[in-house]
Amino acid sequence: MEKTNTPYQALFQPFKLGLIERTGCFSTTVVSPGLDCNNRITLSAMTRGRCGKDLIPTDQHVEYYAQRAPSGFIVTESASISDRSLAYGGAPGIFNDAQAQGWKKVVDKVHSIKGNIFIQLLHCGRQTHSSLQNGQIPLAPSPIGIRGQNQIVKQNYEVPQEMSLQDITLVVKQYREAAERAKKVGFDGVELNAGHGHLPDQFLRDSANKRTDAYGGNPQNRCKFLLEVVQQLIEVFGANRIGVKLTPVTHHADMNDSNPIQLYQTLLRSLSNLKIAYVVLKNENDPDNFQDFGYPSSKKQIPCVYSAFRNYFTGAIVANGGISLEEADQGIRLGKFDFVAFGQLFISNPDLVDRARNGYQLNKNIDWGTAFYGDQKGYTDYPKYQVSQNVQSELLKPLKINDLFLPNRITMSAMDRVRTPAPYIPTELNALYYAQRATAGLIVCEATPVSQRSISYPGSPCIYNDEQAKGWALVTKAVHDKGGRLFLQLFHGGRKTHSSLQNGLEPWAPSAIAIRGNCYSAQNKPFEVPHEMTEAEIQLTLQEFVDAAKRAKTAGFDGVEINAGNGHLPDQFLRDSSNKRTDQWGGSVENRCRFVIQLVQKLNAIYPGRVSIKFTPIGHTGDMNDSNPIQLYTYLLTQLSKLNLAYVTLVEDKSQENAEGFGYPASDKQIQNLYKSLRPHYKGTLFANHSITPERANQDIKDGLYDAVSFGQLYINNPDLVYRVRNAFQLNTNFDFKTYFGGDEKGYTDFPTFDEEKKQ
């Protein structure tokens, strides 16, 4: 499947549900081809109670499920398998042919729009009341009533009838007959509700099952009923079309087990041997009153159901239970599970799949008064997302850079935030900052010194030793876990620093020419005359960049960006105001470009196709100028076009108010239109940067001036910048310049997302 610009790449990877292959010595045979699922988003079974007394699905059900058909697959609400398994008034059944024909309309409609649909089969056991099922006493493995009150009839639960062997045989037969009806009307498969305190769950857990025969006692015996039911379902549909829902950590309906780890490991091994398609594991929180029943906290029994049981089942794992889209995408990417069954989000977002694919805002305003029972209100009348006419669509298109896929063209520029005190090792705070912005098409981390002699800003994280690289690994993991991509910007300050910032080491530069003015990061001390680099020192510096790139790769970065602008060392070699050399590194344009070109070539050997570079052709920062910038950058970009870079960033920096005070011409007099002037000379991917609005960027990309935009300041205040642009939401432009550089989380990781702003 071709990647799209969705922010949730993992959720939109296709999956063959129930694929069964047999591997021989020389070939692999497909035993079952599996069900093609276009995405990993499933509709969880949710009782909505819209049937009449006959429990036949209606046209409302047809519309409701059709609205949600783009899911990887749909699971219907629980359908009762007999008139003695009725737990919820108005919930549909599948125990007679009239009900089956009602379901056929649903199935046919879902299939007509290319959807997949499973039916969930329910027997509630003791979790009902005789008044809900024509006076029939509830059945259960043991005569143990649920403590508390049935909230539907507002009466205490009754002591159920202990099932005889004949009762068990009959119920297993009823499951099979329900499956046969489901198969006949065209369902793609069935899901057995074996959780939430319903009958199979009651057999499983020893708080509800006190039997001493073959269906009780040890875990194997308590699994027997469920496995017999599953075997019957397999005979009807085939193993590759069977799912089972389990709730190992829920205490709902007075349920508990003394050793749930052992129980569910035993069960999942058996289900795995049967080769069923999937298991739903619900990672549910405890009900408020669970301690009244004397049970331990669920999460103390099993902290995480996915890590506890993933290795015991070879089919697909479907996660369920209050999972956000971000958590779902991350969990699939990390291999915790394969699908996510969404419940509440699908109530108010019938187009959840489309909203997730496009990153649109979710509707979280559920009308709980209409969630259960009623008519179309609160059922089929939730609106689809309406796309604003102001959305900047060009920015949201994906971009492929060599072998790197960017889901959008909104990238985050390297910005010094100086939150990393000596010894300059990135921390969890840095990791959080970048992870918050992981939806960017690409993140470029702040300028990172490659040696002790390249530090310009105290508090900048470095990468000249292995401990610093380990710190950066925290950052790359945090961003990758969120589905992001990130490059590290490699930096050498050259003359644009002060010996007091680098343990007394004198600054190096191509020529012994000091920057006019003061170094603000060194308490406004005057810039020093730098040491003119020797041939050996140039080679040493190139090697320091190489070593830094190797550490960056070890730390997990997807690529590197060379800071060759803003008056830093590579920029000092390029421009003739700072480079007065007469050897192979100075003089002609070709010689002045030599340092940058050799640096790119060396880094390409480490990161082929993943090296990028940033230039400021019209910037005068750091006392920089060139007598003929058009000639310089035309030659340089022409040469770089041959080197298979990831991208080049051109900064349209016109901010130096004192440029003419240094005797330089105004930037825009040298190059009047940076992108129109230089774009023709670079054949690769071009990024733009500096005070560009999303609106302008969108139009410029459309006009072909560049391919993507690197946003800086907007990313400080808007960690969810991509989300805001997608939905045409207002940007936060209340900039607090006092917290830009240095400090703690204030002004760094405490900016709210748009949705968080709305709650405040």
Side-chain angles (χ1 to χ4, degrees), residues 23 158 236 278 288 488 613 646:
T23 302
E158 302 156 302
V236 176
Y278 70 90
D288 293 337
L488 183 65
I613 194 161

Side-chain angles (χ1 to χ4, degrees), residues 324-356:
S324 68
L325 290 172
E326 292 76 14
E327 292 166 335
D329 195 69
Q330 180 176 340
I332 292 170
R333 189 181 313 106
L334 297 178
K336 292 181 179 180
F337 38 77
D338 304 292
F339 288 85
V340 176
F342 292 98
Q344 288 185 16
L345 284 181
F346 258 122
I347 292 178
S348 53
N349 298 276
D351 56 339
L352 179 62
V353 173
D354 192 53
R355 290 184 190 235

Side-chain angles (χ1 to χ4, degrees), residues 91 155 173 202 210 230 317 376 455 476 546 552 566 619 651 754:
Q155 297 182 48
K173 180 171 178 279
Q202 295 160 29
K210 303 297 183 183
V230 169
I317 296 289
Q376 72 274 9
I455 298 173
T476 60
V546 169
N566 295 117
V651 182
F754 180 83

Side-chain angles (χ1 to χ4, degrees), residues 383-562:
K384 294 183 178 181
Y385 185 83
Q386 298 298 313
V387 180
S388 168
Q389 296 299 311
N390 297 323
V391 169
Q392 311 302 324
S393 58
E394 295 296 323
L395 277 172
L396 300 173
K397 290 181 178 179
L399 178 64
K400 193 170 187 298
I401 303 175
N402 295 328
D403 64 343
L404 182 66
F405 174 81
L406 308 189
N408 59 72
R409 300 178 185 228
I410 300 171
T411 75
M412 177 177 168
S413 175
M415 291 180 288
D416 298 302
R417 303 302 308 278
V418 290
R419 254 69 174 191
T420 315
Y424 310 129
I425 299 172
T427 66
E428 294 286 358
L429 184 64
N430 304 114
L432 174 60
Y433 170 74
Y434 286 110
Q436 289 174 336
R437 292 151 178 82
T439 55
L442 178 68
I443 289 173
V444 182
C445 292
E446 57 212 282
T448 304
V450 300
S451 70
Q452 285 188 307
R453 197 186 289 271
S454 62
I455 298 173
S456 291
Y457 311 105
S460 293
C462 296
I463 194 154
Y464 55 77
N465 64 44
D466 293 343
E467 290 305 309
Q468 293 161 351
K470 289 178 183 177
W472 277 118
L474 298 174
V475 176
T476 60
K477 183 179 187 305
V479 172
H480 286 153
D481 284 354
K482 293 286 188 179
R485 300 137 298 277
L486 71 172
F487 278 28
L488 183 65
Q489 189 183 84
L490 302 181
F491 168 84
H492 195 301
R495 69 177 186 171
K496 194 182 175 185
T497 184
H498 194 276
S499 58
S500 63
L501 299 176
Q502 41 192 32
N503 297 318
L505 297 172
E506 62 181 339
W508 286 0
S511 300
I513 303 171
I515 297 174
R516 292 171 287 180
N518 297 330
C519 180
Y520 75 91
S521 58
Q523 300 177 327
N524 271 331
K525 296 175 183 176
F527 280 106
E528 300 159 301
V529 176
H531 165 73
E532 183 171 310
M533 298 169 72
T534 65
E535 176 70 28
E537 289 163 349
I538 290 172
Q539 296 302 326
L540 172 63
T541 301
L542 289 170
Q543 186 59 45
E544 287 172 339
F545 273 97
V546 169
D547 293 341
K550 289 178 179 177
R551 291 191 183 95
K553 194 161 192 177
T554 300
F557 281 97
D558 299 300
V560 291
E561 178 181 281
I562 301 165

Side-chain angles (χ1 to χ4, degrees), residues 30-311:
V30 175
V31 178
S32 165
L35 184 68
D36 288 323
C37 302
N38 291 330
N39 58 71
R40 312 292 186 93
I41 296 172
T42 78
L43 170 63
S44 177
M46 290 183 292
T47 300
R48 304 297 308 276
R50 256 65 180 187
C51 285
K53 292 182 179 180
D54 56 12
L55 309 185
I56 298 173
T58 68
D59 289 343
Q60 284 189 52
H61 293 82
V62 174
E63 184 178 357
Y64 174 77
Y65 287 110
Q67 288 173 344
R68 292 151 179 84
S71 310
F73 63 96
I74 285 172
V75 181
T76 72
E77 57 211 286
S78 290
S80 299
I81 64 166
S82 76
D83 63 0
R84 202 173 182 176
S85 65
L86 307 177
Y88 313 104
I94 184 98
F95 54 84
N96 63 45
D97 291 343
Q99 293 163 352
Q101 286 306 304
W103 279 119
K104 186 176 188 304
K105 295 178 182 178
V106 174
V107 173
D108 288 348
K109 183 64 174 179
V110 170
H111 284 166
S112 74
I113 47 183
K114 310 301 182 185
N116 301 315
I117 185 166
F118 281 52
I119 187 169
Q120 189 184 81
L121 302 181
L122 170 76
H123 195 300
C124 55
R126 69 178 187 173
Q127 195 186 164
T128 184
H129 194 273
S130 58
S131 62
L132 292 173
Q133 42 190 31
N134 300 316
Q136 299 178 93
I137 297 296
L139 296 172
S142 299
I144 304 171
I146 297 173
R147 291 171 286 180
Q149 193 175 79
N150 183 304
Q151 294 302 307
I152 296 175
V153 299
K154 304 300 181 185
Q155 297 182 48
N156 288 335
Y157 281 103
E158 302 156 302
V159 176
Q161 174 185 318
E162 181 171 315
M163 296 172 71
S164 66
L165 294 180
Q166 290 79 9
D167 291 330
I168 291 173
T169 300
L170 174 61
V171 171
V172 171
K173 180 171 178 279
Q174 289 170 337
Y175 271 111
R176 180 186 180 112
E177 290 170 345
E180 288 172 342
R181 290 189 183 94
K183 174 86 169 177
K184 186 175 181 180
V185 300
F187 276 102
D188 297 299
V190 294
E191 178 179 290
L192 173 64
N193 188 336
H196 296 297
H198 297 304
L199 186 63
D201 197 14
Q202 295 160 29
F203 271 95
L204 285 175
R205 295 202 261 181
D206 56 17
S207 69
N209 185 346
K210 303 297 183 183
R211 301 177 73 98
T212 56
D213 61 4
Y215 291 92
N218 62 44
Q220 289 82 0
N221 284 1
R222 284 184 277 126
C223 292
K224 181 176 172 63
F225 174 78
L226 185 154
L227 294 173
E228 286 182 355
V229 172
V230 169
Q231 188 61 57
Q232 293 299 308
L233 303 182
I234 288 173
E235 289 182 13
V236 176
F237 268 96
N240 64 317
R241 295 299 177 91
I242 306 300
V244 174
K245 184 170 187 176
L246 303 171
T247 55
V249 297
T250 183
H251 293 313
H252 177 74
D254 203 358
M255 296 298 296
N256 187 57
D257 194 80
S258 57
N259 191 341
I261 290 283
Q262 180 188 28
L263 170 63
Y264 287 98
Q265 286 178 352
T266 300
L267 176 60
L268 288 167
R269 285 192 190 99
S270 297
L271 293 174
S272 192
N273 289 336
L274 291 174
K275 299 190 183 303
I276 66 170
Y278 70 90
V279 164
V280 180
L281 293 176
K282 187 163 188 178
N283 204 36
E284 194 168 28
N285 293 322
D286 293 306
D288 293 337
N289 65 339
F290 81 93
Q291 289 177 322
D292 298 341
F293 294 157
Y295 300 146
S297 166
S298 296
K299 296 302 171 67
K300 287 185 178 178
Q301 289 186 305
I302 306 175
C304 177
V305 295
Y306 311 120
S307 57
F309 300 125
R310 170 96 230 200
N311 293 333

